[in-house]
Structure formats: C-alpha cells, structure tokens
Amino acid sequence: MATDHRRSQKKNAKGAFFFFTATLIMWAVSVFFEILFNNRTELLPLVFGFFLYQFSNWVCRNFISRDPLLVNTCVSLLHSSLTSASVVFILVKQLASNGVSELLEHSQLVNATWPWAYSALCVSCGYFAYDQLDMLLYGLYSGWIPSILLHHFILLGCFTLALYRNVTINYLILTLICELHSIFLHVRKVRRMAGIRDGKNKLVKIEWCLNIGTFLLARLLSHVLITVKLVKDASKFEKGVELPLALFGMAGMNLLNVFLGIDLLNAFKKEINRHNSHES
C-alpha cells in the first residue's frame, strides 16, 4: 500500500516536472525572440534578473551550504528584500510627487509606467523564472499540481504579457507589495532549518507577529483591494486581454493566499502546541 502511494507520488511529480519544464522552455524562447528579433532591449533587465539570482544561488551553494532547500530559501529571501525595497522606493517617490488620488487613478495604473517600475518588474520576472528552474532541477516541490510551481506559472504568464504589451505595469508593482510578507516566510524557513524552533523565544514571537501581520496587510488585504479596484474600474478598460488576464491573475493569487493563510495558521498552532507540550 505504502509502495503504491510512493509510486503514485513519483508519477505525479514526474508529470508536473514535464509540464512546468515545457512551459518554462516556451517562456524562455518567447523572451529571447522578443529581445533578439523584435529588438525589445527594454526586456534585458529580465535576463539580468535571472542571472543575478542564478549567481546568488552559486554563491550560496559554494560558500554557505549545498542543501538545495536552504540555498533556494536564501536566494528567495534576497529577492523578497530587494523587491520590497524597490516597490517601497517607487511608491514613496510617486506619493511624494502626485499623492494617493493620482497614484490610484485608472489610467495611471493601466497605461502609464512609473519611473523604475518596468525594470523592477523585469528583474522580478527573471527571479520567478530562475526559481521555477531551480525547483524543477532539485525537486523542491510535491504533488500532481504543486502550488508553488503553479504560483510561478501564473506570475510568469501575467508579468510577461504585461511587459510585452507595456500595460498594467503599475498594477503589477502594487501586487508586489506582498513581497514584504515573503521576507518573513523565508526568514521562518531559514530559522527552522537552523534548528531554532522554540516558541518561547522572544525573537520567534516577534517573527510570528511580523509574519502574520504582513500576511494580513501586505498580501491578503492588498490583493483583495487590487481585485476590488479591478472590478470597480472594469468598464474603464478597453476591449482586449488586459482585464480578463488581470482578473484571472488576481483570482489565482487570492486563491493561493487562502491556502497560504491556512498553512500559516496550522504552522503557528503546531509551533505553539509544541512549546506548550514541552512546558507541561
């Protein structure tokens, strides 16, 4: 029985590997076609982002640890930190210049592009391609339809099409506010891999407060508000793929956020229960 279950898991993982590898190859061919044949040199930061995080992977693997999961987590932490800093910088700069009302105006979010926003989105898109490849190469996923691979698949599709058409760039920058929460997700992973799992530890308690707080505000609430904004301004979109693609992407993100929230709650309960059982 257990053997059959393991065989089924391997078969599912193999199916996921081939599907997501094929989509990643198609994505890479598409990007290089745009750069080389359509002379879309503005997409070069995307390639830079991919190699930046691939180089970071090499540095971690050679100087920190050869554990694929730890290396992947460290590079993900670097991405979350850099992306959060970029997004905060872009938004603060825009708020100082134009204020909240103009920042959230429909034409600004859909047709305009804030300074540095296009390059920041390209670099982040390059990271998602790198991370997808790293997870596929080292088998850092499980299940027939792994949520993490599906997450990257949705992001790569939405981000790349937006970059090709140069629309909704600012909307996507707003969605990247969730990387503030990702910082604490990755910090928790590194902390647990380092063997620090004591729920009584003050730093662990602070980390959990920041983890749950940024999940609720920077990820869950921000994505819900962006979805509401899209629905409210639906009539302002021109006919085309922009609105359906944006709604599809946000629906996928909100669904994944629900699953992530459940996982976080279960992890929190498990860690607290372990601490209570040790005390008794």
Side-chain angles (χ1 to χ4, degrees), residues 197-254:
R197 304 188 179 195
D198 183 9
K200 190 178 179 181
N201 189 301
K202 286 185 179 179
L203 290 177
V204 173
K205 290 179 180 178
I206 293 171
E207 176 213 293
W208 266 117
C209 288
L210 293 171
N211 198 328
I212 294 172
T214 52
F215 169 76
L216 293 173
L217 297 175
R219 186 179 293 274
L220 190 65
L221 181 61
S222 68
H223 285 175
V224 168
L225 291 176
I226 290 169
T227 306
V228 170
K229 173 71 174 170
L230 283 170
V231 173
K232 184 180 176 182
D233 291 348
S235 61
K236 298 179 183 179
F237 280 86
E238 296 179 5
K239 290 183 178 180
V241 299
E242 286 84 5
L243 179 60
L245 186 64
L247 289 174
F248 169 76
M250 290 313 301
M253 292 299 295
N254 285 316

Side-chain angles (χ1 to χ4, degrees), residues 10 21 31 41 43 48 60-61 83 89 94 102 121 123 128 162 170 179 186 197 216 223 251:
K10 286 182 180 179
T21 299
V31 169
T41 53
L43 290 169
F48 169 77
C60 290
R61 195 172 300 280
T83 302
F89 169 76
Q94 285 305 118
E102 188 172 339
L121 200 65
V123 172
F128 290 121
N170 296 340
E179 291 301 328
H186 302 316
R197 304 188 179 195
L216 293 173
H223 285 175

Side-chain angles (χ1 to χ4, degrees), residues 35 41-50 118-120 122-124 126:
I35 293 173
T41 53
E42 67 271 21
L43 290 169
L44 285 174
L46 191 156
V47 180
F48 169 77
F50 176 86
Y118 194 94
S119 296
C122 278
V123 172
S124 205

Side-chain angles (χ1 to χ4, degrees), residues 19-37:
F19 173 78
F20 287 107
T21 299
T23 57
L24 189 60
I25 291 171
M26 291 169 63
W27 173 86
V29 169
S30 169
V31 169
F32 279 105
F33 181 86
E34 288 291 321
I35 293 173
L36 297 175
F37 295 98

